[in-house]
Amino acid sequence: MKLDILVLAVHPDDAELGCSGTIVKHIALGKKVGIIDFTRGELGTRGTAETRDEEAAESAKIMGLHARENLKLRDGFFKNDEAHQLEVIKMIRKYQPEIVLTNALQDRHPDHGRAGDLADEACFLSGLVKINTELDGVAQGPWRPRLVLQYIQDRYIKPDVIVDISPYFETKLTAIKAFKTQFFNPDLDGPDTYISSPEFFESVIGRAREFGKAVGGTYGEGFTSRKLLGVDSLFNLS
């Protein structure tokens, strides 16, 4: 299946927090969107790899994803090296996305920046014809996405692009809440963590309001780009 947008996320729930409104908006516009989670989030204080699998599957249904896979890389200890780049390249070549959305290049969690660099480099290398990969015993051809953007996560980063997600914000919240073991849930016993507090959840809403207000909407999601972005017409800008 060829996807229009492929989201690369190091942990299950990164995509939900960072860009699920944009995902749902583009699916509503008729685009095909999928997520590749790099790890199962097995080092998380709350929940288990198995519960994260279940939660990711439930969130995928809520968003209406066309595909979601997990590379099962080692949470916390994966590297941006040849072996890991080749695993990501296989997914890029499998789904041939026009656009890739991936982790912030710097953030509170060190996995995020490392994953953002891994994804960015894999997107470039995936277009090189002399890098050979196979999937299920079948040789893959080169493919390079035309655009790679990073969603903004915990730390504030000034965005290069903001997507108005106002009509889809409630779906975003529902997708996040599918991760019942991770975020504020008064019905669940477990140790308190940075992301399980009600204040963290409120900060997600506040960030979306801030970005939405900046573009004349109610809720928005911000993205950064390592390259300058161009448009065919000034009238495509808002």
Side-chain angles (χ1 to χ4, degrees), residues 9-187:
V10 65
H11 305 119
D13 73 27
D14 282 355
E16 282 77 5
L17 287 167
C19 64
S20 55
T22 300
I23 290 171
V24 175
K25 179 172 188 172
H26 283 84
I27 290 174
L29 292 171
K31 302 298 185 181
K32 289 185 169 61
V33 185
I35 295 175
I36 304 296
D37 297 307
F38 289 177
T39 77
R40 299 172 75 196
E42 63 269 20
L43 292 184
T45 301
R46 293 159 63 100
T48 65
E50 290 73 23
T51 58
R52 296 289 283 273
D53 292 344
E54 295 168 2
E55 292 163 350
E58 177 61 23
S59 178
K61 292 178 184 177
I62 292 166
M63 291 187 286
L65 292 179
H66 296 86
R68 187 168 202 164
E69 296 191 48
N70 196 302
L71 293 180
K72 299 181 180 179
L73 305 182
R74 192 179 175 200
D75 191 14
F77 295 98
F78 71 93
K79 298 181 183 296
N80 181 12
D81 61 12
E82 180 180 354
H84 290 80
Q85 289 165 0
L86 287 171
E87 292 304 308
V88 179
I89 288 169
K90 289 177 187 178
M91 294 297 100
I92 296 167
R93 290 177 171 182
K94 175 179 180 178
Y95 288 110
Q96 300 184 345
E98 299 300 317
I99 296 172
V100 164
L101 307 177
T102 191
N103 289 94
L105 297 176
Q106 56 174 319
D107 205 41
R108 173 180 176 270
H109 197 309
D111 279 2
H112 294 172
R114 193 162 68 256
D117 285 331
L118 169 58
D120 188 61
E121 292 181 30
C123 284
F124 180 84
L125 294 172
S126 181
L128 299 181
V129 69
K130 290 184 178 179
I131 293 180
N132 300 313
T133 58
E134 290 185 359
L135 191 65
D136 299 327
V138 178
Q140 295 179 300
W143 182 269
R144 183 175 294 148
R146 66 177 183 84
L147 179 63
V148 180
L149 298 175
Q150 297 84 30
Y151 41 88
I152 295 168
Q153 299 188 258
D154 186 68
R155 289 180 181 167
Y156 177 83
I157 302 172
K158 184 178 179 181
D160 297 309
V161 177
I162 294 175
V163 177
D164 186 342
I165 61 165
S166 301
Y168 308 98
F169 187 66
E170 291 304 319
T171 306
K172 174 186 176 79
L173 293 184
T174 304
I176 294 171
K177 290 177 181 177
F179 291 86
K180 296 180 176 65
T181 63
Q182 301 303 304
F183 303 109
F184 178 64
N185 183 356
D187 299 324

Side-chain angles (χ1 to χ4, degrees), residues 223-237:
F223 301 85
T224 62
S225 173
R226 270 183 158 157
K227 72 172 187 177
L228 291 175
L229 301 173
V231 293
D232 291 330
S233 168
L234 293 177
F235 290 94
N236 291 331
L237 294 170

